Amino acid sequence: MFSFSRMTRTLLAMSLSCAGLGHALAASAPLPAMGFIASQQIRHIATYFPGRMAGSPAELIAAEYLNQQFTKLGYKSDLRGFDTRYLYTSSAGKKDWRNIHATSVIAARAGEVPQQIIVMAHFDTYVPQSDSDTNHNLGGLTLQGVDDNASGVGVMLELAERMQAIPTHYSLRFVALSAEETGTKGAEDFVNRMSAEEKKNTLLVINLSSLITGDRLYFNSGTNTSVAVAKLTRVRALNIARSLGIPAESHEGAHCCEGIKALDDARLPLLNVTATNFALGKKDGMQQRAISSHFPLGTTRYQSQFDNLQYLDKALPGRIEKRSRDTVKVLFPLLKDLAKPAKHA
């Protein structure tokens, strides 16, 4: 009998053989131009792991892939499973809890001291949470989730690869969350498992989400992030972007921590990186761009017919590569400076 675990291993092996991501296996080879690794990872994740809804086979296979990527880069990486649930509403208005077992990926490398910087991105795609969602083709098995959120994961993987050969004073942790599209359960689970000491030792969390569709990049601090930390992170990121001619803005307010409120509530210092347009609609950033024939809702979020490689390459040619390059160009020097080179390096 062809077991689920065997199917997972087989599909993962097929994914790795088709990846064309040899740079991750050859640490001695020079790294390609900024953003190349991220864009290739974005395309790979979207192509081979569509429908990676929390608790699904695709989610587990994607988690195994990410775990292998981090391990090959020399990080101590593990899968972290957790049970959660979400509320499903039928067309008749009946509400039922649906239980799922989700899997996040946690990769780490110790620095000279236990204080740490966390880079985070969720990799799961939207789970339909009502008959209405299903009828409107929101989420489901065909959603590639290029913008939301293969883009964040791709940039995170490139940052991990660029940092892997740099000894640092502070420890680094890379976190690929699941169950963010079922009520931000992944962030809640991550925070709940942190000890008081771990929270105290967390100097910054950089969260990456939806970097492609939106009009421009935003670097936002958490509502509970101190002015001093914001100056060292958000303000510096904006300065780096502007020095490179990369359009970037900041929008402080209640919506700066969308999807990671649990981290903000825990008073962890945050830098949230996304692409949207806070000047539109209700100024909550949920409308990513102006409404047009290509984007009739002003967003691609959860919509399988829009948030896929073929459509985005046609509607926004070159955008995946450009946003990958721009985001890495800003965040890599920022992360390298914040983590500080090790004294013995």
Side-chain angles (χ1 to χ4, degrees):
M1 186 174 180
F2 195 59
S3 68
F4 174 72
S5 60
R6 183 181 173 191
M7 177 184 72
T8 298
R9 290 194 298 271
T10 301
L11 291 175
L12 181 60
M14 290 171 59
S15 162
L16 290 169
S17 67
C18 297
L21 302 176
H23 49 79
L25 306 179
S28 59
L31 292 176
M34 292 272 190
F36 179 82
I37 298 169
S39 64
Q40 291 298 297
Q41 289 284 10
I42 292 167
R43 292 183 178 281
H44 182 75
I45 292 165
T47 299
Y48 291 98
F49 312 118
R52 49 191 184 277
M53 300 172 286
S56 70
E59 176 239 27
L60 183 56
I61 297 168
E64 291 279 5
Y65 170 77
L66 296 175
N67 190 46
Q68 284 201 23
Q69 292 293 293
F70 286 125
T71 299
K72 287 174 181 177
L73 291 173
Y75 294 92
K76 185 181 184 301
S77 185
D78 296 292
L79 301 179
R80 176 179 287 182
F82 60 98
D83 295 318
T84 186
R85 62 180 184 169
Y86 65 95
L87 201 59
Y88 190 91
T89 305
S90 72
S91 55
K94 183 182 178 182
K95 297 181 183 294
D96 292 302
W97 286 106
R98 296 194 173 180
N99 298 315
I100 54 175
H101 183 79
T103 305
S104 293
V105 185
I106 315 291
R109 190 191 70 196
E112 295 179 323
V113 295
Q115 284 80 16
Q116 65 178 353
I117 295 173
I118 299 171
V119 181
M120 176 179 289
H122 80 85
F123 71 94
D124 61 310
T125 54
Y126 186 71
V127 179
Q129 294 169 37
S130 66
D131 286 344
S132 177
D133 281 353
T134 302
N135 293 337
H136 288 89
N137 296 314
L138 298 181
L141 296 173
T142 62
L143 176 59
Q144 286 191 341
V146 178
D147 178 65
D148 186 16
N149 188 36
S151 63
V153 178
V155 169
M156 178 175 65
L157 287 171
E158 175 156 347
L159 292 174
E161 186 153 353
R162 291 190 179 276
M163 292 298 298
Q164 57 115 357
I166 304 174
T168 56
H169 181 64
Y170 295 120
S171 300
L172 293 175
R173 184 174 290 194
F174 293 89
V175 179
L177 291 178
S178 186
E180 280 302 278
E181 299 292 12
T182 56
T184 68
K185 301 299 185 182
E188 290 177 10
D189 176 76
F190 181 77
V191 170
N192 289 341
R193 294 202 196 191
M194 293 181 80
S195 67
E197 191 68 16
E198 284 178 311
K199 292 176 183 177
K200 180 181 177 182
N201 284 334
T202 300
L203 304 177
L204 180 69
V205 179
I206 301 174
N207 184 64
L208 304 163
S209 181
S210 297
L211 301 171
I212 308 300
T213 302
D215 280 331
R216 58 185 66 89
L217 284 171
Y218 282 82
F219 296 87
N220 298 327
S221 296
T223 57
N224 290 314
T225 300
S226 72
V227 173
V229 171
K231 185 175 180 179
L232 289 171
T233 58
R234 172 176 56 84
V235 174
R236 177 136 195 276
L238 291 171
N239 287 339
I240 294 172
R242 289 161 185 166
S243 72
L244 296 171
I246 297 170
E249 295 185 21
S250 180
H251 178 85
E252 299 308 298
H255 297 283
C256 71
C257 308
E258 188 72 33
I260 52 170
K261 188 175 182 296
L263 282 75
D264 193 50
D265 289 346
R267 309 193 78 82
L268 297 177
L270 296 178
L271 176 64
N272 196 37
V273 185
T274 190
T276 187
N277 192 325
F278 281 96
L280 295 171
K282 298 178 181 179
K283 299 184 179 181
D284 60 4
M286 297 304 289
Q287 186 176 332
Q288 297 170 293
R289 57 188 304 111
I291 291 174
S292 66
S293 57
H294 286 303
F295 302 97
L297 297 179
T299 178
T300 59
R301 192 173 286 110
Y302 311 152
Q303 302 167 79
S304 58
Q305 67 269 42
F306 299 122
D307 195 4
N308 65 73
L309 292 169
Q310 183 178 7
Y311 192 87
L312 289 173
D313 280 339
K314 180 180 178 181
L316 299 170
R319 174 63 70 84
I320 293 172
E321 285 67 32
K322 183 179 188 304
R323 278 288 166 75
S324 297
R325 181 171 62 251
D326 287 353
T327 310
V328 173
K329 277 187 172 182
V330 174
L331 290 179
F332 175 56
L334 178 69
L335 179 59
K336 184 168 63 171
D337 182 64
L338 291 173
K340 299 190 181 301
K343 294 176 182 177
H344 64 272

